[in-house]
Amino acid sequence: MSSIDVARVKADFPILKRVVNGHPLVFLDSAASAQKPIQVLEAMDRLARESYANVHRGVYTIAEEASAKFEASRAAVARFIGAPSTREVIFLRNATEAINLVAYSWARSNLVEGDAIVLTEMEHHANVVPWLMLAEERGIELRWAPITSDFVLDLDGLDELLHNAKLLAVTASSNVLGTINDIPLLVQAAHAAGALVLVDACQSVPHLVTDITAWDADFVAFSAHKMLGPSGIGALWARSELLEAMPPFLGGGEMIRDVTKTGFTTNELPWKFEAGTPAITEAIGWHAAIDYLEDLGMDNVRAHEVSITDYALGALEANFEDRITIYGPRDPAARGSAVSFLLQEIHAHDVSQVLDEYGVCVRAGHHCAKPLMRVLGVPATSRASFYIYNDEDDVDALVSALKNAEKFFAI
Amino acid sequence: MSGLEDLYREIILDHYRAPRNRGELPVPPAVKSEGFNPLCGDEVVLYLDVDDGVVTDLKIAGQGCSISQASTSMMSAAVKGKTIAEVRQLTRAFKALMSIHESKLEGEQDGSDLEDDLKGVRLGDLEALQGVVKFPVRIKCATLAWNTLIQGLDEAT
Ligand SMILES: Cc1ncc(COP(=O)(O)O)c(C=O)c1O
């Protein structure tokens, strides 16, 4: 029983008809990047065939069509995350670029030596390295909120960590553990301490109903490619007061109002932060992805993921008992669908190599979260992650392939 | 399953399950060298005793995927008791075996240098690792032990 008709959904994804090594493709790596439905592919194709032109520049018909579609995509993104205004949605390359924009534009004009930023031990490198670079350059102190043995944030020392801090940079959901963080609670604590909050929403916007207003955060970063859209486009949402006050990030066309030999004035929001020709076709694909998810209903998407994750956790435990270690919360209602695990002593790369032989795609490695891997005390894990096109058969295929890996590497 | 069995030959799995020469040697006189492969998180630690131009003893430590650990074990068995000149030649031959695919892809070498490197060198069991070449991302796992070995030899001599 599922809130989503997975068979119908699967039929919309051409790649899922592929056969790999003689087996039908079982794609369990959506946390890294999701597959694209035909609706997204066709929307991008249609633009290229019918209305492609650079945006905001031409006065001819197709340029106006392309510009209107591009801005309609921004409106769809804003609506999807509950943003009050399209002026606050900046189209960028991906979440990584969005976080870097905050680090360069906001942090470098607001933070001075000795200021502190609070991160958590479960951050992706995208929300770690820009701050390490800043720390090195400016003498900024980085403080790390620890995780508990239950794989959730340890909130006991939070107020102390936030004391006099200028920013809390935190993921809404861990791409390794699956843990979903309580963003409203964290934002409240941070704001009480006078710190702003940047939310890395890469793993939450694709899977959960997002209401940015309820979060009350200051910056939110996410990517299209993890939510059925194309790679090459993502967004930063930020409060307009902050964006107005921030200096531009990259300079060039589109982001200016006027340019003389001696200076320039910046364009209004959101274009102030969109230098150069943007990802036009990709924006149109992203819009189609959002339409697809909205047609399913994000409540149904979430309900389906809770149910498939529940089934997967149960199947892994039932079949591998104490031979498997799962790194993440056990309660499917308290987590996303990324399930990281180690099977006996078998290295994650060996496991995923055997799984590939059966057409099963899982991630192996440090998942761009090396500080977290060090905390967990493992060099790598395997990670299966589930999305709208995965069903219990996919979990069964995973379990059966894992049994083969176990046989293969039995000590 | 042919692809997998090519990668994980029985002799490789044997070295993975029962690695040879595990342990440590006192430093000094031994030289310690460490290698790291960021992709798999493979880690190889070697302890080398070199006496009079001969690798008289070596021990291995570290952790990682089966290919890296088996390759390290096989390397240790292959080089123990050999002269440094022999070890360097064996290393070249092994790396040539591993680079056939890569250099073909990158069009770096025309293959004749590789044949020179391989000529007259008996790789023995090490040839079982040839299947790795079909899995390009795993080549670094197989060569890690040998790169770490050369690092140690450069330090010891
Ligand atoms: C939690 C999290 N943050 C950030 C990123 C980076 O996303 P992107 O590579 O699209 O910038 C990812 C994706 O791997 C992620 O899972």
Side-chain angles (χ1 to χ4, degrees):
Chain A
M1 204 199 63
S2 172
S3 47
I4 284 181
D5 181 351
V6 180
R8 229 195 70 206
V9 169
K10 266 186 201 273
D12 285 334
F13 289 74
I15 202 170
L16 298 180
K17 298 184 178 71
R18 248 203 87 163
V19 168
V20 172
N21 296 324
H23 298 269
L25 184 71
V26 175
F27 188 74
L28 302 179
D29 196 19
S30 300
S33 204
Q35 297 300 346
K36 327 298 170 205
I38 188 78
Q39 289 82 346
V40 167
L41 305 178
E42 281 176 353
M44 295 200 290
D45 188 60
R46 201 176 319 120
L47 179 84
R49 289 173 190 277
E50 294 171 11
S51 317
Y52 180 82
N54 211 332
V55 292
H56 308 136
R57 287 175 207 181
V59 288
Y60 46 90
T61 304
I62 61 168
E64 278 166 8
E65 283 173 12
S67 301
K69 283 176 195 278
F70 184 77
E71 291 305 324
S73 170
R74 192 192 310 275
V77 173
R79 190 184 62 240
F80 192 72
I81 61 171
S85 161
T86 53
R87 297 174 68 237
E88 300 178 333
V89 175
I90 298 166
F91 276 167
L92 298 161
R93 225 156 29 98
N94 47 36
T96 302
E97 190 175 56
I99 296 169
N100 275 279
L101 190 157
V102 177
Y104 277 92
S105 177
W106 176 79
R108 279 170 173 76
S109 51
N110 284 281
L111 269 54
V112 294
E113 187 173 342
D115 280 343
I117 293 176
V118 180
L119 307 174
T120 85
E121 286 180 342
M122 62 171 87
E123 296 312 309
H124 186 281
H125 292 165
N127 201 21
V128 172
V129 181
W131 308 118
L132 286 170
M133 289 163 70
L134 179 68
E136 207 166 282
E137 181 188 312
R138 285 288 167 94
I140 303 291
E141 179 197 353
L142 298 186
R143 301 177 188 159
W144 296 84
I147 59 167
T148 69
S149 54
D150 297 326
F151 311 105
V152 298
L153 280 183
D154 184 350
L155 299 176
D156 283 350
L158 184 66
D159 289 336
E160 207 171 307
L161 281 174
L162 285 169
H163 183 69
N164 276 338
K166 290 288 195 293
L167 179 74
L168 167 66
V170 59
T171 189
S173 177
S174 162
N175 64 315
V176 179
L177 307 169
T179 311
I180 295 173
N181 291 318
D182 186 344
I183 296 299
L185 180 131
L186 292 166
V187 170
Q188 214 169 27
H191 283 175
L196 297 190
V197 181
L198 179 149
V199 179
D200 173 354
C202 270
Q203 297 292 344
S204 70
V205 169
H207 307 284
L208 299 161
V209 177
T210 306
D211 181 355
I212 277 203
T213 320
W215 276 356
D216 198 29
D218 303 286
F219 304 102
V220 178
F222 50 103
S223 291
H225 68 93
K226 293 183 199 284
M227 50 190 289
L228 315 180
S231 57
I233 190 164
L236 172 70
W237 171 87
R239 288 178 191 287
S240 51
E241 316 90 82
L242 290 166
L243 291 171
E244 298 281 9
M246 281 156 57
F249 175 37
L250 299 177
E254 187 83 10
M255 53 73 71
I256 48 86
R257 189 193 308 273
D258 192 17
V259 185
T260 64
K261 283 184 177 166
T262 53
F264 69 94
T265 50
T266 54
N267 201 343
E268 55 194 281
L269 294 177
W271 306 290
K272 171 182 171 185
F273 292 99
E274 295 182 356
T277 299
I280 302 164
T281 313
E282 289 75 9
I284 276 56
W286 196 3
H287 190 169
I290 287 171
D291 286 346
Y292 193 93
L293 288 170
E294 283 181 336
D295 276 352
L296 291 175
M298 288 307 289
D299 284 320
N300 293 326
V301 169
R302 174 61 182 154
H304 169 70
E305 285 187 32
V306 170
S307 134
I308 190 87
T309 306
D310 191 25
Y311 181 78
L313 292 171
L316 291 173
E317 283 171 356
N319 284 283
F320 302 103
E321 301 175 334
D322 57 357
R323 307 194 305 285
I324 197 165
T325 310
I326 294 172
Y327 297 91
R330 176 61 185 84
D331 176 8
R335 59 161 17 260
S337 73
V339 178
S340 286
F341 60 90
L342 278 180
L343 188 58
Q344 299 197 43
E345 306 277 280
I346 311 170
H347 194 281
H349 278 92
D350 291 320
V351 168
S352 72
Q353 193 90 61
V354 177
L355 263 47
D356 180 58
E357 197 67 19
Y358 297 93
V360 178
C361 314
V362 301
R363 193 67 157 194
H366 51 64
H367 316 294
C368 296
K370 288 195 107 173
L372 175 61
M373 302 313 277
R374 290 200 164 88
V375 170
L376 298 175
V378 294
T381 68
S382 296
R383 179 190 69 192
S385 53
F386 307 98
Y387 207 11
I388 53 171
Y389 36 68
N390 295 122
D391 56 15
E392 296 185 355
D393 289 347
D394 294 339
V395 175
D396 294 344
L398 169 70
V399 166
S400 140
L402 283 172
K403 283 184 181 165
N404 283 303
E406 207 175 25
K407 247 183 267 161
F408 209 85
F409 289 103
I411 303 275
Chain B
M1 286 276 295
S2 71
L4 265 195
E5 268 148 19
D6 235 20
L7 177 63
Y8 298 116
R9 301 258 172 89
E10 202 41 55
I11 177 112
I12 296 175
L13 290 173
D14 177 59
H15 276 267
Y16 163 67
R17 291 183 185 119
R20 325 294 197 261
N21 300 307
R22 290 288 296 185
E24 297 180 11
L25 293 172
V27 183
V31 168
K32 179 180 175 184
S33 73
E34 288 173 281
F36 199 72
N37 167 10
L39 174 73
C40 293
D42 299 330
E43 181 190 54
V44 166
V45 184
L46 297 183
Y47 298 86
L48 289 169
D49 270 341
V50 178
D51 197 17
D52 216 10
V54 174
V55 178
T56 50
D57 200 3
L58 102 175
K59 293 275 187 232
I60 60 180
Q63 52 166 7
C65 72
S66 61
I67 299 299
S68 75
Q69 299 309 299
S71 174
T72 310
S73 171
M74 292 167 84
M75 177 278 288
S76 75
V79 305
K80 202 159 150 178
K82 291 219 160 58
T83 67
I84 289 181
E86 287 168 333
V87 170
R88 286 193 187 276
Q89 197 189 20
L90 194 59
T91 306
R92 267 197 306 279
F94 182 76
K95 292 187 70 169
L97 186 75
M98 287 296 121
S99 68
I100 286 170
H101 182 86
E102 271 181 320
S103 55
K104 259 194 204 151
L105 277 182
E106 289 161 14
E108 260 175 10
Q109 280 169 296
D110 58 12
S112 56
D113 295 353
L114 296 179
E115 273 163 35
D116 283 350
D117 281 336
L118 283 164
K119 208 182 299 165
V121 181
R122 291 181 47 88
L123 285 166
D125 284 354
L126 296 171
E127 273 177 21
L129 282 160
Q130 194 171 8
V132 174
V133 171
K134 283 197 214 148
F135 298 84
V137 297
R138 307 301 293 275
I139 291 174
K140 284 199 168 65
C141 310
T143 52
L144 178 65
W146 294 87
N147 290 333
T148 313
L149 173 68
I150 290 302
Q151 216 175 288
L153 282 183
D154 286 347
E155 213 176 300
T157 53

